[in-house]
């Protein structure tokens, strides 16, 4: 049996209880060493074999899993954050399905949630925006043209941009092309929830200069939009004394 497990954004106590128990029971752990905090491996039992997938191909990962299955071992495939976001898990799940290897998925706290917590930020502010766009600049993995940063920028929603810290001048250009003002609030969150976490509040225009100043080159998220400023919002209806909800009678209800 294979468990694909979300490791969370970095801090070792931000993996789920289920994820930690799966690590503790695993005979084999294959972890994404480029981003997963290796301290999480301390939850493993003695005798557990550990492999870093950063040095491996998909074929090598699958071969390891297959060998473990033949010996009736339990494997944990540990991915950073939540595995459903830029996790490259579909290709692994397809290969396992083909080989009739049983697997399941344990979710994790994605780094975009870790970044919001680092900034004590709410992405969805009433009257500012009610949407979060998770995207990336095209890199070695292409992004379909209809999903260009410029086209998303037109929505003026909160944007969380993964995998793009090395392309900040291009990112700024795309954001402005799409309709963001150069002085739109933005933030860079480096290694959210790790000891080395760094947060920088800047603007769309100053993204590259800010990252350079802080020497941030990778493992960061870029947040963009008026929500980053965390002001100019309306208070929620949910907790407004005037409004009735399913659980509470309001003072101003006319029905
Ligand atoms: N599945 C992961 C994302 C993997 S893609 C998740 O849910 O978070 C790898 C990218 O995620 C990195 O290039 C970086 O942009 C971002 N990332 C991962 N961990 C991060 C962290 N702790 N802080 C900031 N960005 C992080």
């Amino acid at each position: 049996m294979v468990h694909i497990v979300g490791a969370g954004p970095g801090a070792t106590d931000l993996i789920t209880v289920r994820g930690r128990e799966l690590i503790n029971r695993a005979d084999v752990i294959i972890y994404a060493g480029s981003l997963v905090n290796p301290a999480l491996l301390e939850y493993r039992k003695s005798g557990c074999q550990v492999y870093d997938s950063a040095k491996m191909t998909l074929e090598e990962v699958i071969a390891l899993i297959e060998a473990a299955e033949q010996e009736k071992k339990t494997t944990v495939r540990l991915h950073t954050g939540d595995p459903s976001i830029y996790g490259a898990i579909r290709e692994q799940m397809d290969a396992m399905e083909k080989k009739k290897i049983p697997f399941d998925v344990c979710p994790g706290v994605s780094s975009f949630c870790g970044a919001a917590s680092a900034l004590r930020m709410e992405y969805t502010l009433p009257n500012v925006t009610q949407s979060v766009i998770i995207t990336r600049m095209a890199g070695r993995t292409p992004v379909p043209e209809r999903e260009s940063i410029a086209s998303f920028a037109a929505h003026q929603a909160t944007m969380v941009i993964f995998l793009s810290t090395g392309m900040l001048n291009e990112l700024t250009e795309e954001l402005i092309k799409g309709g963001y003002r150069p002085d739109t609030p933005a933030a860079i969150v480096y290694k959210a929830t790790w000891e080395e976490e760094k947060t920088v509040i800047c603007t769309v225009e100053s993204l590259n200069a800010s990252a350079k100043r802080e020497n941030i080159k990778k493992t960061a998220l870029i947040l963009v939009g008026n929500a980053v400023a965390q002001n100019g919002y309306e208070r929620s209806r949910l907790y407004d004394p005037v409004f009735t909800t399913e659980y509470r009678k309001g003072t101003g209800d006319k029905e």
Side-chain angles (χ1 to χ4, degrees):
M1 177 75 185
V2 177
H3 305 283
I4 296 174
V5 176
T12 51
D13 53 354
L14 284 177
I15 190 169
T16 63
V17 173
R18 184 187 297 179
R20 190 181 64 189
E21 281 170 2
L22 289 169
I23 289 181
N24 182 247
R25 289 209 305 271
D27 303 304
V28 178
I29 297 173
I30 308 170
Y31 76 109
S34 54
L35 283 164
V36 169
N37 187 346
L40 284 165
L41 300 172
E42 285 163 25
Y43 295 131
R44 76 185 186 275
K45 64 183 180 190
S46 67
C48 170
Q49 297 162 266
V50 177
Y51 301 90
D52 178 358
S53 62
K55 302 173 187 126
M56 294 160 71
T57 62
L58 169 64
E59 286 71 15
E60 287 167 336
V61 169
I62 299 299
L64 260 182
I65 289 175
E66 237 185 327
E69 284 300 297
Q70 270 157 17
E71 294 174 35
K72 304 255 176 302
K73 287 180 171 166
T74 300
T75 301
V76 161
R77 177 70 176 103
L78 195 57
H79 284 272
T80 181
D82 183 80
S84 70
I85 296 176
Y86 306 117
I89 58 167
R90 186 66 260 166
E91 59 193 26
Q92 298 176 64
M93 296 191 294
D94 281 345
M96 288 191 275
E97 271 168 9
K98 232 187 200 160
K99 293 178 189 294
K100 306 217 170 347
I101 296 172
F103 63 88
D104 61 14
V105 181
C106 171
V109 177
S110 177
S111 60
F112 84 90
C113 302
S117 72
L119 291 171
R120 297 183 299 176
M121 173 178 170
E122 177 174 349
Y123 285 133
T124 52
L125 292 176
N127 214 27
V128 177
T129 180
Q130 289 292 288
S131 308
V132 183
I133 294 172
I134 290 172
T135 188
R136 61 170 297 170
M137 291 280 280
R140 257 172 304 186
T141 306
V143 172
E145 180 51 36
R146 61 179 183 278
E147 296 176 22
S148 69
I149 297 276
S151 71
F152 283 145
H155 294 282
Q156 305 277 306
T158 303
M159 286 177 84
V160 180
I161 302 151
F162 282 72
L163 295 158
S164 305
T165 319
M167 294 172 266
L168 293 180
N169 278 330
E170 296 88 333
L171 177 65
T172 293
E173 210 173 285
E174 282 280 301
L175 288 165
I176 292 174
K177 193 167 106 192
Y180 275 113
R181 289 168 40 155
D183 62 355
T184 303
I188 306 170
V189 183
Y190 170 74
K191 287 203 139 183
T193 82
W194 290 66
E195 291 274 313
E196 311 90 295
E197 175 187 285
K198 247 189 225 177
T199 59
V200 188
I201 301 286
C202 58
T203 60
V204 160
E205 194 174 32
S206 67
L207 276 169
N208 192 51
S210 307
K212 241 184 167 165
R213 191 182 65 233
E214 300 290 335
N215 203 21
I216 298 172
K217 297 186 180 117
K218 58 176 195 170
T219 327
L221 288 172
I222 311 300
L223 315 181
V224 177
N226 288 322
V228 174
Q230 294 285 285
N231 56 30
Y233 65 95
E234 267 178 19
R235 59 176 287 177
S236 72
R237 300 281 189 265
L238 186 61
Y239 298 110
D240 189 325
V242 173
F243 287 87
T244 295
T245 73
E246 196 181 336
Y247 301 98
R248 181 174 61 70
K249 179 102 182 84
T251 54
D253 200 49
K254 297 203 175 66
E255 281 164 41

